[in-house]
């Protein structure tokens, strides 16, 4: 009864698509045409989800082959290309929090496929921002995404477990080696008490940040760390 009322109400509420302004139905905030045109990853490394040029089941990217990873899996909904890159920039730097809902909901669709035969993590851990950045920006985009994702995946979020102790330089202009140096020792962690966690970031580039956090969590007794991200950058 309540469910059918909910669907009836949904069909009555028409909103405009955040990207093209065409009509779309609540709660999506993106129209079907725009959702279908978002850049999906065709072929990816089976461990870190780095986009690969060819389909090759069971294939690992160069980094995963050479060094392995501290995390156990990585799931990304999209390639970091327009319009997903614009949506994430607007969410992160221009207070356009309305983008969090469709991005989290689309990531949830990808995750539901990924975890069809696998156990879900117990908790979502958003990548923390340093206190200074949090004050400047007013919110942490990963925490905002995590709140939406929590509802879709029915898993709680813990945004107090991890802490960023110093503000790092933006990773964008750094090489892979510099990125690793840049994030080393940046985070601290309370005693987790979890066995299996999902670390949530908006974008994963080389994976230096999520690797550092996975290493830290595993040192504190976490057995299984999965990475969830909205977008993965194409290989540079
Ligand atoms: Zn649209
Ligand atoms: Zn890889």
């Amino acid at each position: 009864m309540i469910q059918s009322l909910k669907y009836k109400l949904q069909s009555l509420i028409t909103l405009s698509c955040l990207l093209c302004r065409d009509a779309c139905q609540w709660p999506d905030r993106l129209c079907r045409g725009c959702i279908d045109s978002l850049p999906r990853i065709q072929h990816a490394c089976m461990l870190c989800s780095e986009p690969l040029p060819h389909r090759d089941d069971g294939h690992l990217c160069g980094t995963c082959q050479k060094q392995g990873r501290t995390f156990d899996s990585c799931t990304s909904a999209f390639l970091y290309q327009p319009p997903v890159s614009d949506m994430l920039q607007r969410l992160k730097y221009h207070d356009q929090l309305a983008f969090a809902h469709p991005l989290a909901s689309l990531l949830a669709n990808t995750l539901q496929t990924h975890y069809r035969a696998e156990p879900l993590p117990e908790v979502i851990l958003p990548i923390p921002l340093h206190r200074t950045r949090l004050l400047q920006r007013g919110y942490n985009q990963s925490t905002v995404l995590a709140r939406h994702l929590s509802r879709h995946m029915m898993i709680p979020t813990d945004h107090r477990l991890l802490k960023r102790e110093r503000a790092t330089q933006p990773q964008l202009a750094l090489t892979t080696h510099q990125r690793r140096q840049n994030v080393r020792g940046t985070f601290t962690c309370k005693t987790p008490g979890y066995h299996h966690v999902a670390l949530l970031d908006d974008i994963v580039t080389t994976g230096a940040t999520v690797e550092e956090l996975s290493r830290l969590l595993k040192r504190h007794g976490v057995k299984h760390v999965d990475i969830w991200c909205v977008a993965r950058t194409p290989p540079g």
Side-chain angles (χ1 to χ4, degrees):
M1 174 66 187
I2 292 175
Q3 202 65 5
S4 71
L5 197 65
K6 193 176 150 198
Y7 287 127
K8 219 169 251 172
L9 271 173
Q10 282 180 11
S11 62
L12 291 174
I13 306 172
T14 304
L15 298 167
S16 56
C17 169
L18 289 169
L19 289 175
C20 73
R21 304 278 155 213
D22 266 5
C24 71
Q25 271 175 9
W26 184 84
D28 289 342
R29 299 306 318 269
L30 291 180
C31 71
R32 190 34 57 193
C34 283
I35 290 175
D36 290 343
S37 68
L38 296 177
R40 301 273 176 182
I41 301 175
Q42 299 299 322
H43 315 302
C45 167
M46 62 177 293
L47 174 54
C48 76
S49 197
E50 181 177 298
L52 296 173
H54 308 290
R55 177 174 178 79
D56 188 352
D57 286 337
H59 195 70
L60 296 173
C61 72
T63 311
C64 289
Q65 279 183 41
K66 264 184 260 152
Q67 306 162 6
R69 297 283 189 174
T70 54
F71 51 80
D72 299 281
S73 77
C74 175
T75 310
S76 172
F78 300 108
L79 258 182
Y80 188 66
Q81 276 177 355
V84 169
S85 49
D86 305 323
M87 291 158 81
L88 285 170
Q89 293 283 321
R90 284 152 82 172
L91 167 66
K92 198 163 173 172
Y93 300 114
H94 303 283
D95 295 337
Q96 296 190 22
L97 301 185
F99 282 103
H101 179 270
L103 290 171
S105 141
L106 292 164
L107 174 57
N109 292 347
T110 308
L111 290 167
Q112 275 146 7
T113 309
H114 179 89
Y115 286 94
R116 204 173 286 147
E118 304 270 334
L120 276 167
E122 304 151 70
V123 70
I124 304 173
L125 305 175
I127 306 285
L129 273 186
H130 185 255
R131 202 161 38 92
T132 319
R133 287 259 158 77
L134 191 59
L135 285 172
Q136 285 165 350
R137 201 176 292 169
Y139 59 94
N140 175 356
Q141 74 285 352
S142 292
T143 309
V144 177
L145 286 165
R147 257 186 234 126
H148 287 283
L149 210 50
S150 261
R151 278 199 290 274
H152 286 288
M153 304 300 292
M154 293 191 285
I155 303 175
T157 293
D158 185 338
H159 58 91
R160 292 213 167 84
L161 185 80
L162 299 169
K163 198 168 168 201
R164 196 185 282 255
E165 298 291 348
R166 58 186 174 84
T168 46
Q169 298 179 49
Q171 300 268 71
L172 219 61
L174 305 179
T175 63
T176 305
H177 178 69
Q178 287 168 331
R179 282 169 193 246
R180 290 216 176 96
Q181 297 292 328
N182 192 33
V183 292
R184 189 136 298 163
T186 304
F187 301 98
T188 54
C189 167
K190 291 182 191 162
T191 306
Y194 300 116
H195 178 82
H196 183 184
V197 303
L199 268 176
L200 176 69
D201 209 353
D202 51 349
I203 311 155
V204 168
T205 304
T206 61
T209 304
V210 289
E211 281 226 59
E212 177 70 13
L213 277 164
S214 304
R215 189 177 299 117
L216 179 71
L217 285 162
K218 288 195 171 175
R219 268 210 312 267
H220 282 78
V222 176
K223 291 282 176 281
H224 207 94
V225 180
D226 294 342
I227 311 301
W228 293 357
C229 62
V230 173
R232 192 79 170 78
T233 51

